[in-house]
Amino acid sequence: MSVLVTGGTGYIGSHTVVDLLNNNYDVVIVDNYVNSKPEVLNRIKTITGKMPKFYEVDCCDENAFRKVFEKENITDVIHFAGLKSVGESVQKPGLYYSNNIGSTLTLLKLMHEFDVNNLVFSSSATVYGVPDHVPLKEDDPIGGCTNPYGETKLDIEYILKYETSMCSKMNVAILRYFNPIGAHKSGLIGEDPQGIPNNLMPYITQVAVGKREHLNVFGNDYHTVDGTGVRDYIHVVDLAAGHLAALRKLTEKPGLVIFNLGTGKGTSVLELVTAFENANNIKIPYVICPRRPGDVDENYADASKAFKEMGWEAKLNIVDACRDSWNWQKNNPKGYDK
């Protein structure tokens, strides 16, 4: 009996695998290394003392993916695999639709074929589109996504709702992430973006380590406390714990459940920069740039449902995340490349 983790060597996936192994789950990872590196597996073993089973497979490749199901006794799936850059999705929408939705359809086909009925899906707060209020609750309207990445997450949510309505054996937990930051306290695993970072924290840490001259702040004319975008930054270790809570929830055979995973507190770009500077005594120079397409003013969660129904809540704060992010980056200035 094993948990299949697609995209398990990625940023959130690797932290979740560590938590699974530390809680004595048997783990099988499938990843094609598009957004990760093989070294992640060695780091996971160093942290946990265990090496998860691994298959270098593209989840869109049905024949190769089927062999994993044939070889392993999979009982549960956590589905992280997918392209995730908002900016890139605007430039390459077809790639995002074919990869993200295609890989999910292939996964669902194989789950049905091998009678695997428990799925935790990595969704996103982008499915809420441009919110007319915050904090956001799970029963707030979804749709009107501002980028193709968000549209793929929304479409997959609809697919999963249909699957659970048509198949009484299916149990699905949709987890709507807000903005993951931070790293494992060991400093051995963390966020290692390919090329120029699309997310705020790795850009900040790359400036701090001297890899980049300054931070680009995209827009300072939003309707927020200081004009910069406000987001709900959740520590990746808390986020990983949310997946274990969701797996346990699925043992109750609830059908379809949806949870926000966030802190319930909004933090602006400049507030996060200041928190990082204060936590690590490092100055982060920044330049104000034009807004990016698809960005919204504010986006943060009401995560009370996750606490009420799963007993999960964020335990780490922005300062913890800033310290852990810097600990990861300063010990790995080139990421996983040596």
Side-chain angles (χ1 to χ4, degrees):
M1 299 174 62
S2 299
V3 179
L4 172 66
V5 183
T6 72
T9 56
Y11 174 44
I12 303 170
S14 60
H15 286 82
T16 302
V17 168
V18 164
D19 212 0
L20 288 167
L21 292 173
N22 283 338
N23 282 275
N24 298 315
Y25 286 87
D26 292 324
V27 177
V28 177
I29 297 174
V30 167
D31 207 313
N32 62 359
Y33 291 134
V34 166
N35 284 313
S36 61
K37 301 285 178 60
E39 173 61 21
V40 174
L41 293 170
N42 297 325
R43 304 294 183 89
I44 290 172
K45 183 179 180 182
T46 300
I47 294 169
T48 66
K50 304 172 185 177
M51 178 64 84
K53 292 184 179 179
F54 176 82
Y55 294 87
E56 186 174 353
V57 169
D58 187 324
C59 292
C60 292
D61 186 340
E62 183 179 328
N63 290 332
F65 204 179
R66 178 176 285 105
K67 292 176 182 177
V68 179
F69 280 83
E70 290 172 345
K71 292 178 181 178
E72 303 295 340
N73 182 20
I74 295 164
T75 54
D76 305 86
V77 179
I78 302 178
H79 184 35
F80 293 107
L83 301 174
K84 61 178 185 176
S85 167
V86 168
E88 184 184 51
S89 78
V90 174
Q91 300 297 321
K92 302 176 181 179
L95 175 64
Y96 273 67
Y97 281 104
S98 63
N99 184 85
N100 292 3
I101 296 175
S103 63
T104 304
L105 292 174
T106 300
L107 172 64
L108 288 170
K109 179 180 180 180
L110 293 171
M111 288 179 66
H112 287 309
E113 185 176 328
F114 289 88
D115 197 30
V116 180
N117 299 305
N118 292 338
L119 173 65
V120 178
F121 173 60
S122 163
S123 191
S124 167
T126 58
V127 301
Y128 292 111
V130 181
D132 59 12
H133 68 274
V134 286
L136 289 159
K137 295 185 177 182
E138 290 85 351
D139 58 0
D140 281 330
I142 57 175
C145 298
T146 59
N147 55 77
Y149 163 74
E151 287 283 358
T152 66
K153 294 296 188 182
L154 181 66
D155 289 347
I156 293 168
E157 286 201 13
Y158 285 134
I159 290 168
L160 295 176
K161 289 174 185 177
Y162 179 77
E163 288 280 336
T164 53
S165 70
M166 296 301 294
C167 180
S168 60
K169 294 191 296 183
M170 282 288 287
N171 298 290
V172 175
I174 293 173
L175 303 183
R176 292 175 180 163
Y177 307 165
F178 281 68
N179 292 72
I181 59 173
H184 193 268
K185 63 182 180 181
S186 67
L188 290 172
I189 57 173
E191 189 167 9
D192 182 24
Q194 312 297 305
I196 299 173
N198 291 290
N199 297 327
L200 178 57
M201 183 58 84
Y203 212 119
I204 290 174
T205 60
Q206 288 189 10
V207 171
V209 82
K211 189 173 182 177
R212 304 193 183 278
E213 290 186 6
H214 59 262
L215 170 69
N216 292 321
V217 175
F218 296 102
N220 66 344
D221 59 350
Y222 289 102
H223 298 294
T224 61
V225 62
D226 56 22
T228 63
V230 168
R231 300 292 182 268
D232 189 337
Y233 295 101
I234 176 174
H235 200 297
V236 67
V237 169
D238 281 330
L239 191 56
H243 293 78
L244 272 70
L247 279 181
R248 297 184 186 110
K249 180 66 178 179
L250 293 186
T251 63
E252 301 173 11
K253 302 187 183 304
L256 177 70
V257 287
I258 301 172
F259 298 106
N260 287 336
L261 295 186
T263 66
K265 182 180 184 299
T267 302
S268 76
V269 172
L270 293 184
E271 286 175 335
L272 187 63
V273 170
T274 299
F276 185 91
E277 291 178 332
N278 292 340
N280 300 302
N281 196 28
I282 298 172
K283 190 68 177 173
I284 303 297
Y286 63 86
V287 173
I288 302 296
C289 302
R291 293 188 184 195
R292 293 182 301 188
D295 281 344
V296 300
D297 293 51
E298 289 187 290
N299 196 319
Y300 59 95
D302 180 331
S304 59
K305 182 182 177 185
F307 179 71
K308 181 179 179 181
E309 296 189 17
M310 299 196 297
W312 176 91
E313 63 180 339
K315 296 179 179 179
L316 300 169
N317 59 34
I318 292 294
V319 174
D320 297 320
C322 288
R323 288 172 177 161
D324 291 340
S325 293
W326 177 232
N327 185 44
W328 150 254
Q329 189 73 81
K330 71 182 180 182
N331 288 302
N332 302 270
K334 297 181 180 180
Y336 291 108
D337 292 329
K338 295 182 178 179

